Amino acid sequence: MPYRKQDAKAYARENFRGVWAATATPFKEDLSLNEEGLRRNLRHWIDDLELGGLFVSGKQGEFFSMSVAERKRTFELAVEEAGARCGVVTSCSDTNLDVVLELARHSQNIGAPYIVVHSPVLHFHRNPEETVYEYYRYLSEQLDIGIALWNHPDCGYIMSPELCARIAELPNIVAIKYSVDRPLYKRLTELAGDKILVSTASEEEWLDNIIELGWQLYLCSTPPFLLQTAADRRINDYTRLAFAGQHDEARRVRNSLEPARQAFRAARPDGTPQAVTKYWLEMLGQVGGPVRRPLLNLSDADKAKAREAFAHSGLKLA
């Protein structure tokens, strides 16, 4: 790790910034991990797209269908390829705390700068706040690495801004991917924006959050490599403009991406987000491949629909 535990917040404030994308994990046709394909994608995201960082093997990366050994290997590949050119946050989320700690310690050992840990799965809890606080307090106690929280309604409960602010007092809690409605993440920014970097998954809200809330981090999903190419890096462009205070020009560039956003939404049938992501990657010239069970691959009709939508995206391929 490039910092001491007590310096985690300061290091993150200086370095955990810009556009960070959630990586997809390519598999071969026999469903084994496609290491060379992942390296190829990583190099494109790092060198051609110049992303600020990569969120490795989260939900978009199908962590739930990978073994612990495979997850560790994706972390290693990302850290090797990123070097000093790109940030890395490894997704150590799991229903088993021992697995979370094993992945987190591996991340520390290989030099990853941050980890992200999803809020715990809690069945039958009507008021989980003390349980969730103790979960993250224990992780903070056990680990030296900077920890990003992750919470969204799909997990069955929403962490309140007040709970997040309390957790943010812990020494190596540095960020949160807070996929909630704007009033909640705005409240957390007001309560603890000096102690934790707040982000949400929505690319469409990113610019307004830079301008209105002073955010520095977009810890997001897949738009940074699905809606950008080596010849068309408009998310990067409007982010840079916004950071420089050129807000009107940033809005113009942001708004120009609306055809691409609409095209990707049109390509996405219910129940197949990772499969659509991988097929879209292939149409962009990157490595996709099949998804693993329990996910479903696209039908021929789904692929035809995606190709039609892609043709109207307006993305520049060269």
Side-chain angles (χ1 to χ4, degrees):
M1 280 168 39
Y3 55 86
R4 297 174 299 172
K5 181 174 183 173
Q6 61 265 36
D7 299 323
K9 290 182 186 293
Y11 182 87
R13 186 71 55 178
E14 182 68 23
N15 297 282
F16 207 177
R17 59 187 301 113
V19 175
W20 290 54
T23 63
T25 305
F27 301 120
K28 298 178 182 178
E29 289 304 313
D30 65 1
L31 298 183
S32 61
L33 180 63
N34 186 345
E35 290 195 16
E36 184 49 45
L38 180 55
R39 283 190 186 276
R40 178 178 155 189
N41 284 350
L42 289 167
R43 290 167 189 158
H44 173 67
W45 301 331
I46 294 165
D47 296 327
D48 298 332
L49 300 188
E50 295 184 330
L51 298 181
L54 301 169
F55 178 151
V56 182
S57 293
K59 287 192 304 179
Q60 291 290 344
E62 300 174 65
F63 82 89
F64 45 80
S65 67
M66 288 194 286
S67 69
V68 171
E70 287 175 320
R71 294 173 72 180
K72 289 180 178 179
R73 184 58 179 153
T74 64
F75 297 174
E76 293 164 0
L77 295 172
V79 170
E80 288 173 16
E81 292 295 338
R85 309 190 318 281
C86 183
V88 172
V89 56
T90 60
S91 179
C92 300
S93 306
D94 202 86
T95 55
N96 184 291
L97 181 59
D98 289 339
V99 172
V100 174
L101 289 169
E102 181 178 350
L103 293 169
R105 288 171 179 144
H106 183 70
S107 300
Q108 290 181 168
N109 291 339
I110 63 174
Y114 319 102
I115 63 170
V116 61
V117 181
H118 198 291
S119 51
V121 174
L122 298 173
H123 299 290
F124 313 120
H125 275 63
R126 295 182 179 177
N127 185 10
E129 297 223 341
E130 286 304 317
T131 303
V132 174
Y133 177 80
E134 176 57 22
Y135 181 78
Y136 283 116
R137 188 209 63 78
Y138 182 74
L139 289 174
S140 174
E141 176 187 79
Q142 293 295 310
L143 301 168
D144 294 328
I145 196 168
I147 302 169
L149 317 179
W150 184 11
N151 182 245
H152 56 81
D154 292 351
C155 71
Y157 62 92
I158 293 174
M159 293 164 58
S160 70
E162 291 73 19
L163 171 60
C164 296
R166 182 183 172 199
I167 296 170
E169 297 287 341
L170 297 167
N172 54 332
I173 300 296
V174 300
I176 181 170
K177 182 177 180 180
Y178 200 26
S179 301
V180 295
D181 291 338
R182 199 167 197 273
L184 291 178
Y185 66 66
K186 182 174 183 290
R187 172 65 174 159
L188 176 57
T189 304
E190 294 166 348
L191 286 173
D194 59 335
K195 297 182 178 67
I196 188 170
L197 301 173
V198 185
S199 179
T200 196
S202 172
E203 181 269 323
E204 294 173 76
E205 297 172 59
W206 166 229
L207 177 59
D208 291 338
N209 291 331
I210 298 173
I211 296 171
E212 297 172 20
L213 301 180
W215 282 13
Q216 69 175 59
L217 173 66
Y218 175 31
L219 186 57
C220 63
S221 186
T222 54
F225 56 79
L226 295 180
L227 303 185
Q228 297 197 114
T229 69
D232 187 354
R233 303 188 300 182
R234 279 176 281 173
I235 296 176
N236 288 19
D237 292 342
Y238 78 67
T239 298
R240 183 180 65 255
L241 289 164
F243 283 170
Q246 300 179 49
H247 297 164
D248 290 342
E249 180 63 11
R251 287 190 180 95
R252 185 194 68 75
V253 177
R254 187 268 311 270
N255 293 345
S256 75
L257 266 172
E258 190 56 30
R261 296 186 193 99
Q262 292 181 5
F264 186 69
R265 285 194 292 267
R268 193 170 178 175
D270 290 340
T272 59
Q274 289 92 340
V276 171
T277 290
K278 287 184 167 182
Y279 192 61
W280 196 273
L281 284 174
E282 292 174 0
M283 291 188 290
L284 287 169
Q286 299 171 54
V287 182
V291 295
R292 283 180 174 174
R293 295 181 186 277
L295 301 181
L296 300 175
N297 284 295
L298 299 183
S299 67
D300 290 342
D302 291 334
K303 290 180 179 180
K305 179 180 178 182
R307 289 193 299 272
E308 180 180 0
F310 184 81
H312 294 91
S313 68
L315 293 173
K316 301 174 184 176
L317 298 181

mmCIF file of all heavy atoms in Angstrom, residues 11-54:
data_model
loop_
_atom_site.group_PDB
_atom_site.id
_atom_site.type_symbol
_atom_site.label_atom_id
_atom_site.label_comp_id
_atom_site.label_asym_id
_atom_site.label_seq_id
_atom_site.Cartn_x
_atom_site.Cartn_y
_atom_site.Cartn_z
ATOM 1 N N TYR A 11 -4.768 10.437 1.649
ATOM 2 C CA TYR A 11 -4.314 9.869 0.377
ATOM 3 C C TYR A 11 -5.477 9.790 -0.611
ATOM 4 O O TYR A 11 -5.329 10.138 -1.792
ATOM 5 C CB TYR A 11 -3.714 8.483 0.604
ATOM 6 C CG TYR A 11 -3.172 7.854 -0.661
ATOM 7 C CD1 TYR A 11 -1.874 8.104 -1.077
ATOM 8 C CD2 TYR A 11 -3.970 7.032 -1.456
ATOM 9 C CE1 TYR A 11 -1.372 7.553 -2.248
ATOM 10 C CE2 TYR A 11 -3.481 6.475 -2.632
ATOM 11 C CZ TYR A 11 -2.180 6.737 -3.018
ATOM 12 O OH TYR A 11 -1.707 6.200 -4.185
ATOM 13 N N ALA A 12 -6.635 9.340 -0.143
ATOM 14 C CA ALA A 12 -7.796 9.244 -1.025
ATOM 15 C C ALA A 12 -8.235 10.618 -1.516
ATOM 16 O O ALA A 12 -8.592 10.793 -2.689
ATOM 17 C CB ALA A 12 -8.941 8.543 -0.293
ATOM 18 N N ARG A 13 -8.215 11.604 -0.636
ATOM 19 C CA ARG A 13 -8.617 12.955 -1.039
ATOM 20 C C ARG A 13 -7.731 13.469 -2.180
ATOM 21 O O ARG A 13 -8.195 14.171 -3.074
ATOM 22 C CB ARG A 13 -8.515 13.879 0.175
ATOM 23 C CG ARG A 13 -9.013 15.280 -0.014
ATOM 24 C CD ARG A 13 -10.516 15.382 -0.132
ATOM 25 N NE ARG A 13 -11.232 14.797 0.979
ATOM 26 C CZ ARG A 13 -12.570 14.804 1.097
ATOM 27 N NH1 ARG A 13 -13.304 15.379 0.164
ATOM 28 N NH2 ARG A 13 -13.156 14.221 2.112
ATOM 29 N N GLU A 14 -6.468 13.059 -2.169
ATOM 30 C CA GLU A 14 -5.525 13.514 -3.181
ATOM 31 C C GLU A 14 -5.608 12.677 -4.462
ATOM 32 O O GLU A 14 -5.414 13.204 -5.565
ATOM 33 C CB GLU A 14 -4.099 13.441 -2.617
ATOM 34 C CG GLU A 14 -3.016 13.933 -3.563
ATOM 35 C CD GLU A 14 -3.083 15.426 -3.830
ATOM 36 O OE1 GLU A 14 -3.641 16.166 -2.999
ATOM 37 O OE2 GLU A 14 -2.569 15.852 -4.886
ATOM 38 N N ASN A 15 -5.906 11.376 -4.341
ATOM 39 C CA ASN A 15 -5.740 10.453 -5.465
ATOM 40 C C ASN A 15 -7.003 9.737 -5.944
ATOM 41 O O ASN A 15 -7.031 9.265 -7.082
ATOM 42 C CB ASN A 15 -4.702 9.387 -5.096
ATOM 43 C CG ASN A 15 -3.335 9.972 -4.858
ATOM 44 O OD1 ASN A 15 -2.612 10.298 -5.787
ATOM 45 N ND2 ASN A 15 -2.968 10.128 -3.583
ATOM 46 N N PHE A 16 -8.012 9.622 -5.103
ATOM 47 C CA PHE A 16 -9.238 8.902 -5.453
ATOM 48 C C PHE A 16 -10.170 9.914 -6.098
ATOM 49 O O PHE A 16 -11.050 10.484 -5.461
ATOM 50 C CB PHE A 16 -9.847 8.311 -4.182
ATOM 51 C CG PHE A 16 -10.683 7.074 -4.375
ATOM 52 C CD1 PHE A 16 -11.225 6.437 -3.260
ATOM 53 C CD2 PHE A 16 -10.945 6.515 -5.606
ATOM 54 C CE1 PHE A 16 -11.994 5.290 -3.371
ATOM 55 C CE2 PHE A 16 -11.717 5.376 -5.752
ATOM 56 C CZ PHE A 16 -12.241 4.762 -4.612
ATOM 57 N N ARG A 17 -9.986 10.151 -7.401
ATOM 58 C CA ARG A 17 -10.710 11.229 -8.061
ATOM 59 C C ARG A 17 -10.902 10.900 -9.542
ATOM 60 O O ARG A 17 -10.237 10.030 -10.095
ATOM 61 C CB ARG A 17 -9.992 12.560 -7.892
ATOM 62 C CG ARG A 17 -8.594 12.622 -8.428
ATOM 63 C CD ARG A 17 -7.888 13.945 -8.067
ATOM 64 N NE ARG A 17 -8.611 15.105 -8.586
ATOM 65 C CZ ARG A 17 -9.217 16.010 -7.830
ATOM 66 N NH1 ARG A 17 -9.186 15.919 -6.528
ATOM 67 N NH2 ARG A 17 -9.860 17.027 -8.391
ATOM 68 N N GLY A 18 -11.848 11.601 -10.156
ATOM 69 C CA GLY A 18 -12.098 11.405 -11.577
ATOM 70 C C GLY A 18 -13.074 10.285 -11.849
ATOM 71 O O GLY A 18 -13.891 9.902 -11.009
ATOM 72 N N VAL A 19 -12.992 9.732 -13.053
ATOM 73 C CA VAL A 19 -13.940 8.741 -13.554
ATOM 74 C C VAL A 19 -13.385 7.338 -13.340
ATOM 75 O O VAL A 19 -12.362 6.964 -13.911
ATOM 76 C CB VAL A 19 -14.217 8.996 -15.054
ATOM 77 C CG1 VAL A 19 -15.112 7.906 -15.627
ATOM 78 C CG2 VAL A 19 -14.843 10.372 -15.258
ATOM 79 N N TRP A 20 -14.075 6.553 -12.523
ATOM 80 C CA TRP A 20 -13.700 5.165 -12.229
ATOM 81 C C TRP A 20 -14.806 4.250 -12.743
ATOM 82 O O TRP A 20 -15.975 4.445 -12.439
ATOM 83 C CB TRP A 20 -13.517 4.968 -10.724
ATOM 84 C CG TRP A 20 -12.308 5.655 -10.165
ATOM 85 C CD1 TRP A 20 -11.986 6.971 -10.281
ATOM 86 C CD2 TRP A 20 -11.261 5.046 -9.400
ATOM 87 N NE1 TRP A 20 -10.800 7.239 -9.644
ATOM 88 C CE2 TRP A 20 -10.335 6.073 -9.086
ATOM 89 C CE3 TRP A 20 -11.022 3.745 -8.951
ATOM 90 C CZ2 TRP A 20 -9.179 5.834 -8.336
ATOM 91 C CZ3 TRP A 20 -9.882 3.516 -8.201
ATOM 92 C CH2 TRP A 20 -8.972 4.544 -7.908
ATOM 93 N N ALA A 21 -14.431 3.228 -13.497
ATOM 94 C CA ALA A 21 -15.413 2.350 -14.144
ATOM 95 C C ALA A 21 -15.406 0.957 -13.541
ATOM 96 O O ALA A 21 -14.357 0.430 -13.160
ATOM 97 C CB ALA A 21 -15.110 2.248 -15.639
ATOM 98 N N ALA A 22 -16.583 0.345 -13.467
ATOM 99 C CA ALA A 22 -16.732 -1.031 -12.982
ATOM 100 C C ALA A 22 -16.424 -2.004 -14.118
ATOM 101 O O ALA A 22 -17.116 -2.025 -15.136
ATOM 102 C CB ALA A 22 -18.146 -1.257 -12.466
ATOM 103 N N THR A 23 -15.386 -2.797 -13.960
ATOM 104 C CA THR A 23 -14.925 -3.655 -15.045
ATOM 105 C C THR A 23 -15.852 -4.847 -15.270
ATOM 106 O O THR A 23 -16.414 -5.400 -14.335
ATOM 107 C CB THR A 23 -13.511 -4.191 -14.750
ATOM 108 O OG1 THR A 23 -13.546 -5.010 -13.573
ATOM 109 C CG2 THR A 23 -12.532 -3.059 -14.529
ATOM 110 N N ALA A 24 -15.977 -5.243 -16.516
ATOM 111 C CA ALA A 24 -16.589 -6.526 -16.874
ATOM 112 C C ALA A 24 -15.496 -7.595 -16.883
ATOM 113 O O ALA A 24 -14.321 -7.278 -17.111
ATOM 114 C CB ALA A 24 -17.240 -6.429 -18.250
ATOM 115 N N THR A 25 -15.879 -8.834 -16.633
ATOM 116 C CA THR A 25 -14.917 -9.940 -16.625
ATOM 117 C C THR A 25 -15.160 -10.829 -17.833
ATOM 118 O O THR A 25 -16.195 -11.495 -17.913
ATOM 119 C CB THR A 25 -15.055 -10.784 -15.345
ATOM 120 O OG1 THR A 25 -14.932 -9.933 -14.198
ATOM 121 C CG2 THR A 25 -13.976 -11.864 -15.295
ATOM 122 N N PRO A 26 -14.247 -10.868 -18.801
ATOM 123 C CA PRO A 26 -14.461 -11.730 -19.971
ATOM 124 C C PRO A 26 -14.181 -13.194 -19.652
ATOM 125 O O PRO A 26 -13.195 -13.523 -18.977
ATOM 126 C CB PRO A 26 -13.444 -11.189 -20.984
ATOM 127 C CG PRO A 26 -12.377 -10.554 -20.166
ATOM 128 C CD PRO A 26 -13.025 -10.049 -18.913
ATOM 129 N N PHE A 27 -15.067 -14.053 -20.147
ATOM 130 C CA PHE A 27 -14.878 -15.497 -20.057
ATOM 131 C C PHE A 27 -14.766 -16.071 -21.463
ATOM 132 O O PHE A 27 -15.323 -15.530 -22.421
ATOM 133 C CB PHE A 27 -16.055 -16.159 -19.333
ATOM 134 C CG PHE A 27 -16.270 -15.663 -17.931
ATOM 135 C CD1 PHE A 27 -17.470 -15.069 -17.565
ATOM 136 C CD2 PHE A 27 -15.266 -15.773 -16.980
ATOM 137 C CE1 PHE A 27 -17.676 -14.603 -16.277
ATOM 138 C CE2 PHE A 27 -15.461 -15.309 -15.687
ATOM 139 C CZ PHE A 27 -16.669 -14.723 -15.329
ATOM 140 N N LYS A 28 -14.048 -17.181 -21.560
ATOM 141 C CA LYS A 28 -13.950 -17.893 -22.829
ATOM 142 C C LYS A 28 -15.239 -18.676 -23.076
ATOM 143 O O LYS A 28 -16.105 -18.764 -22.212
ATOM 144 C CB LYS A 28 -12.745 -18.838 -22.806
ATOM 145 C CG LYS A 28 -11.409 -18.129 -22.626
ATOM 146 C CD LYS A 28 -10.261 -19.137 -22.551
ATOM 147 C CE LYS A 28 -8.934 -18.447 -22.329
ATOM 148 N NZ LYS A 28 -7.813 -19.413 -22.208
ATOM 149 N N GLU A 29 -15.347 -19.279 -24.245
ATOM 150 C CA GLU A 29 -16.561 -20.036 -24.569
ATOM 151 C C GLU A 29 -16.772 -21.222 -23.633
ATOM 152 O O GLU A 29 -17.901 -21.650 -23.400
ATOM 153 C CB GLU A 29 -16.532 -20.508 -26.023
ATOM 154 C CG GLU A 29 -16.705 -19.379 -27.035
ATOM 155 C CD GLU A 29 -17.981 -18.569 -26.808
ATOM 156 O OE1 GLU A 29 -19.050 -19.196 -26.631
ATOM 157 O OE2 GLU A 29 -17.919 -17.336 -26.807
ATOM 158 N N ASP A 30 -15.671 -21.757 -23.070
ATOM 159 C CA ASP A 30 -15.818 -22.844 -22.094
ATOM 160 C C ASP A 30 -16.058 -22.307 -20.687
ATOM 161 O O ASP A 30 -16.057 -23.062 -19.705
ATOM 162 C CB ASP A 30 -14.594 -23.762 -22.110
ATOM 163 C CG ASP A 30 -13.307 -23.059 -21.656
ATOM 164 O OD1 ASP A 30 -13.359 -21.861 -21.299
ATOM 165 O OD2 ASP A 30 -12.249 -23.721 -21.658
ATOM 166 N N LEU A 31 -16.234 -20.969 -20.564
ATOM 167 C CA LEU A 31 -16.545 -20.248 -19.336
ATOM 168 C C LEU A 31 -15.367 -20.127 -18.374
ATOM 169 O O LEU A 31 -15.538 -19.709 -17.229
ATOM 170 C CB LEU A 31 -17.764 -20.860 -18.614
ATOM 171 C CG LEU A 31 -19.079 -20.832 -19.404
ATOM 172 C CD1 LEU A 31 -20.219 -21.387 -18.566
ATOM 173 C CD2 LEU A 31 -19.407 -19.415 -19.866
ATOM 174 N N SER A 32 -14.167 -20.468 -18.820
ATOM 175 C CA SER A 32 -12.982 -20.207 -18.003
ATOM 176 C C SER A 32 -12.622 -18.731 -18.103
ATOM 177 O O SER A 32 -13.015 -18.027 -19.047
ATOM 178 C CB SER A 32 -11.813 -21.070 -18.457
ATOM 179 O OG SER A 32 -11.464 -20.783 -19.808
ATOM 180 N N LEU A 33 -11.877 -18.241 -17.125
ATOM 181 C CA LEU A 33 -11.471 -16.847 -17.104
ATOM 182 C C LEU A 33 -10.554 -16.538 -18.288
ATOM 183 O O LEU A 33 -9.564 -17.228 -18.520
ATOM 184 C CB LEU A 33 -10.737 -16.548 -15.786
ATOM 185 C CG LEU A 33 -10.240 -15.115 -15.579
ATOM 186 C CD1 LEU A 33 -11.409 -14.136 -15.540
ATOM 187 C CD2 LEU A 33 -9.427 -15.031 -14.285
ATOM 188 N N ASN A 34 -10.882 -15.500 -19.036
ATOM 189 C CA ASN A 34 -10.101 -15.097 -20.196
ATOM 190 C C ASN A 34 -9.093 -14.029 -19.761
ATOM 191 O O ASN A 34 -9.342 -12.828 -19.845
ATOM 192 C CB ASN A 34 -11.025 -14.562 -21.290
ATOM 193 C CG ASN A 34 -10.287 -14.261 -22.585
ATOM 194 O OD1 ASN A 34 -9.064 -14.174 -22.618
ATOM 195 N ND2 ASN A 34 -11.032 -14.101 -23.667
ATOM 196 N N GLU A 35 -7.937 -14.495 -19.276
ATOM 197 C CA GLU A 35 -6.952 -13.573 -18.731
ATOM 198 C C GLU A 35 -6.402 -12.625 -19.792
ATOM 199 O O GLU A 35 -6.253 -11.418 -19.549
ATOM 200 C CB GLU A 35 -5.804 -14.340 -18.067
ATOM 201 C CG GLU A 35 -6.206 -15.038 -16.786
ATOM 202 C CD GLU A 35 -5.003 -15.481 -15.975
ATOM 203 O OE1 GLU A 35 -3.874 -15.002 -16.242
ATOM 204 O OE2 GLU A 35 -5.186 -16.297 -15.050
ATOM 205 N N GLU A 36 -6.083 -13.147 -20.963
ATOM 206 C CA GLU A 36 -5.537 -12.282 -22.002
ATOM 207 C C GLU A 36 -6.584 -11.270 -22.459
ATOM 208 O O GLU A 36 -6.271 -10.103 -22.740
ATOM 209 C CB GLU A 36 -5.040 -13.101 -23.189
ATOM 210 C CG GLU A 36 -4.365 -12.270 -24.269
ATOM 211 C CD GLU A 36 -3.316 -11.305 -23.735
ATOM 212 O OE1 GLU A 36 -2.500 -11.706 -22.883
ATOM 213 O OE2 GLU A 36 -3.326 -10.123 -24.158
ATOM 214 N N GLY A 37 -7.850 -11.716 -22.542
ATOM 215 C CA GLY A 37 -8.911 -10.783 -22.900
ATOM 216 C C GLY A 37 -9.078 -9.689 -21.868
ATOM 217 O O GLY A 37 -9.276 -8.514 -22.211
ATOM 218 N N LEU A 38 -8.983 -10.049 -20.586
ATOM 219 C CA LEU A 38 -9.082 -9.037 -19.539
ATOM 220 C C LEU A 38 -7.913 -8.068 -19.615
ATOM 221 O O LEU A 38 -8.092 -6.847 -19.500
ATOM 222 C CB LEU A 38 -9.138 -9.711 -18.169
ATOM 223 C CG LEU A 38 -9.232 -8.767 -16.964
ATOM 224 C CD1 LEU A 38 -10.412 -7.818 -17.079
ATOM 225 C CD2 LEU A 38 -9.317 -9.572 -15.658
ATOM 226 N N ARG A 39 -6.704 -8.585 -19.832
ATOM 227 C CA ARG A 39 -5.550 -7.692 -19.965
ATOM 228 C C ARG A 39 -5.753 -6.718 -21.135
ATOM 229 O O ARG A 39 -5.432 -5.524 -21.022
ATOM 230 C CB ARG A 39 -4.278 -8.503 -20.185
ATOM 231 C CG ARG A 39 -3.719 -9.167 -18.941
ATOM 232 C CD ARG A 39 -2.341 -9.738 -19.242
ATOM 233 N NE ARG A 39 -1.785 -10.509 -18.156
ATOM 234 C CZ ARG A 39 -1.115 -9.998 -17.119
ATOM 235 N NH1 ARG A 39 -0.933 -8.690 -17.033
ATOM 236 N NH2 ARG A 39 -0.626 -10.788 -16.175
ATOM 237 N N ARG A 40 -6.260 -7.235 -22.241
ATOM 238 C CA ARG A 40 -6.481 -6.370 -23.406
ATOM 239 C C ARG A 40 -7.473 -5.260 -23.081
ATOM 240 O O ARG A 40 -7.243 -4.094 -23.422
ATOM 241 C CB ARG A 40 -6.988 -7.220 -24.569
ATOM 242 C CG ARG A 40 -7.298 -6.425 -25.823
ATOM 243 C CD ARG A 40 -7.743 -7.352 -26.942
ATOM 244 N NE ARG A 40 -8.582 -6.652 -27.900
ATOM 245 C CZ ARG A 40 -9.248 -7.244 -28.874
ATOM 246 N NH1 ARG A 40 -9.165 -8.552 -29.031
ATOM 247 N NH2 ARG A 40 -9.987 -6.540 -29.702
ATOM 248 N N ASN A 41 -8.575 -5.607 -22.412
ATOM 249 C CA ASN A 41 -9.547 -4.587 -22.029
ATOM 250 C C ASN A 41 -8.941 -3.585 -21.054
ATOM 251 O O ASN A 41 -9.144 -2.367 -21.188
ATOM 252 C CB ASN A 41 -10.772 -5.244 -21.391
ATOM 253 C CG ASN A 41 -11.682 -5.907 -22.405
ATOM 254 O OD1 ASN A 41 -11.519 -5.749 -23.615
ATOM 255 N ND2 ASN A 41 -12.634 -6.673 -21.922
ATOM 256 N N LEU A 42 -8.214 -4.090 -20.062
ATOM 257 C CA LEU A 42 -7.599 -3.200 -19.080
ATOM 258 C C LEU A 42 -6.680 -2.183 -19.757
ATOM 259 O O LEU A 42 -6.705 -0.989 -19.436
ATOM 260 C CB LEU A 42 -6.812 -4.021 -18.052
ATOM 261 C CG LEU A 42 -7.637 -4.851 -17.065
ATOM 262 C CD1 LEU A 42 -6.746 -5.852 -16.333
ATOM 263 C CD2 LEU A 42 -8.374 -3.960 -16.068
ATOM 264 N N ARG A 43 -5.881 -2.657 -20.707
ATOM 265 C CA ARG A 43 -4.960 -1.743 -21.395
ATOM 266 C C ARG A 43 -5.727 -0.677 -22.175
ATOM 267 O O ARG A 43 -5.310 0.493 -22.224
ATOM 268 C CB ARG A 43 -4.048 -2.536 -22.324
ATOM 269 C CG ARG A 43 -3.036 -3.396 -21.573
ATOM 270 C CD ARG A 43 -2.363 -4.392 -22.485
ATOM 271 N NE ARG A 43 -1.549 -5.346 -21.724
ATOM 272 C CZ ARG A 43 -1.197 -6.551 -22.162
ATOM 273 N NH1 ARG A 43 -1.578 -6.954 -23.369
ATOM 274 N NH2 ARG A 43 -0.468 -7.337 -21.397
ATOM 275 N N HIS A 44 -6.837 -1.066 -22.784
ATOM 276 C CA HIS A 44 -7.656 -0.096 -23.514
ATOM 277 C C HIS A 44 -8.234 0.937 -22.542
ATOM 278 O O HIS A 44 -8.175 2.157 -22.810
ATOM 279 C CB HIS A 44 -8.786 -0.820 -24.246
ATOM 280 C CG HIS A 44 -9.787 0.089 -24.883
ATOM 281 N ND1 HIS A 44 -9.493 0.913 -25.947
ATOM 282 C CD2 HIS A 44 -11.096 0.313 -24.592
ATOM 283 C CE1 HIS A 44 -10.560 1.606 -26.288
ATOM 284 N NE2 HIS A 44 -11.546 1.264 -25.479
ATOM 285 N N TRP A 45 -8.788 0.476 -21.431
ATOM 286 C CA TRP A 45 -9.392 1.392 -20.472
ATOM 287 C C TRP A 45 -8.358 2.317 -19.839
ATOM 288 O O TRP A 45 -8.637 3.485 -19.580
ATOM 289 C CB TRP A 45 -10.132 0.597 -19.385
ATOM 290 C CG TRP A 45 -11.220 -0.279 -19.923
ATOM 291 C CD1 TRP A 45 -11.968 -0.078 -21.054
ATOM 292 C CD2 TRP A 45 -11.682 -1.514 -19.376
ATOM 293 N NE1 TRP A 45 -12.862 -1.109 -21.234
ATOM 294 C CE2 TRP A 45 -12.709 -2.010 -20.215
ATOM 295 C CE3 TRP A 45 -11.335 -2.272 -18.258
ATOM 296 C CZ2 TRP A 45 -13.388 -3.202 -19.975
ATOM 297 C CZ3 TRP A 45 -12.011 -3.465 -17.996
ATOM 298 C CH2 TRP A 45 -13.020 -3.914 -18.850
ATOM 299 N N ILE A 46 -7.157 1.783 -19.615
ATOM 300 C CA ILE A 46 -6.111 2.566 -18.956
ATOM 301 C C ILE A 46 -5.414 3.497 -19.937
ATOM 302 O O ILE A 46 -5.256 4.700 -19.674
ATOM 303 C CB ILE A 46 -5.084 1.632 -18.290
ATOM 304 C CG1 ILE A 46 -5.751 0.850 -17.145
ATOM 305 C CG2 ILE A 46 -3.885 2.412 -17.780
ATOM 306 C CD1 ILE A 46 -4.932 -0.345 -16.670
ATOM 307 N N ASP A 47 -4.991 2.966 -21.078
ATOM 308 C CA ASP A 47 -4.135 3.718 -21.997
ATOM 309 C C ASP A 47 -4.915 4.518 -23.040
ATOM 310 O O ASP A 47 -4.547 5.662 -23.345
ATOM 311 C CB ASP A 47 -3.168 2.771 -22.719
ATOM 312 C CG ASP A 47 -2.199 2.101 -21.767
ATOM 313 O OD1 ASP A 47 -1.818 2.732 -20.763
ATOM 314 O OD2 ASP A 47 -1.831 0.936 -22.001
ATOM 315 N N ASP A 48 -5.965 3.939 -23.599
ATOM 316 C CA ASP A 48 -6.729 4.633 -24.640
ATOM 317 C C ASP A 48 -7.785 5.565 -24.052
ATOM 318 O O ASP A 48 -7.953 6.696 -24.519
ATOM 319 C CB ASP A 48 -7.401 3.625 -25.576
ATOM 320 C CG ASP A 48 -6.406 2.755 -26.317
ATOM 321 O OD1 ASP A 48 -5.268 3.215 -26.543
ATOM 322 O OD2 ASP A 48 -6.745 1.604 -26.660
ATOM 323 N N LEU A 49 -8.509 5.080 -23.042
ATOM 324 C CA LEU A 49 -9.564 5.901 -22.448
ATOM 325 C C LEU A 49 -9.056 6.772 -21.314
ATOM 326 O O LEU A 49 -9.722 7.737 -20.929
ATOM 327 C CB LEU A 49 -10.706 5.004 -21.941
ATOM 328 C CG LEU A 49 -11.395 4.133 -22.996
ATOM 329 C CD1 LEU A 49 -12.614 3.446 -22.397
ATOM 330 C CD2 LEU A 49 -11.792 4.946 -24.216
ATOM 331 N N GLU A 50 -7.895 6.427 -20.758
ATOM 332 C CA GLU A 50 -7.277 7.194 -19.674
ATOM 333 C C GLU A 50 -8.250 7.428 -18.520
ATOM 334 O O GLU A 50 -8.421 8.543 -18.018
ATOM 335 C CB GLU A 50 -6.736 8.526 -20.183
ATOM 336 C CG GLU A 50 -5.598 8.354 -21.186
ATOM 337 C CD GLU A 50 -4.976 9.668 -21.621
ATOM 338 O OE1 GLU A 50 -5.693 10.700 -21.636
ATOM 339 O OE2 GLU A 50 -3.781 9.665 -21.948
ATOM 340 N N LEU A 51 -8.893 6.327 -18.079
ATOM 341 C CA LEU A 51 -9.797 6.425 -16.940
ATOM 342 C C LEU A 51 -9.005 6.685 -15.664
ATOM 343 O O LEU A 51 -7.849 6.307 -15.527
ATOM 344 C CB LEU A 51 -10.603 5.134 -16.804
ATOM 345 C CG LEU A 51 -11.512 4.784 -17.991
ATOM 346 C CD1 LEU A 51 -12.272 3.491 -17.714
ATOM 347 C CD2 LEU A 51 -12.491 5.927 -18.279
ATOM 348 N N GLY A 52 -9.668 7.337 -14.705
ATOM 349 C CA GLY A 52 -9.003 7.616 -13.444
ATOM 350 C C GLY A 52 -8.763 6.361 -12.634
ATOM 351 O O GLY A 52 -7.789 6.278 -11.877
ATOM 352 N N GLY A 53 -9.665 5.390 -12.765
ATOM 353 C CA GLY A 53 -9.506 4.163 -12.001
ATOM 354 C C GLY A 53 -10.484 3.098 -12.434
ATOM 355 O O GLY A 53 -11.398 3.339 -13.226
ATOM 356 N N LEU A 54 -10.284 1.900 -11.882
ATOM 357 C CA LEU A 54 -11.081 0.728 -12.226
ATOM 358 C C LEU A 54 -11.615 0.069 -10.960
ATOM 359 O O LEU A 54 -10.880 -0.143 -9.994
ATOM 360 C CB LEU A 54 -10.220 -0.275 -13.008
ATOM 361 C CG LEU A 54 -9.628 0.267 -14.312
ATOM 362 C CD1 LEU A 54 -8.589 -0.709 -14.861
ATOM 363 C CD2 LEU A 54 -10.721 0.537 -15.337
#
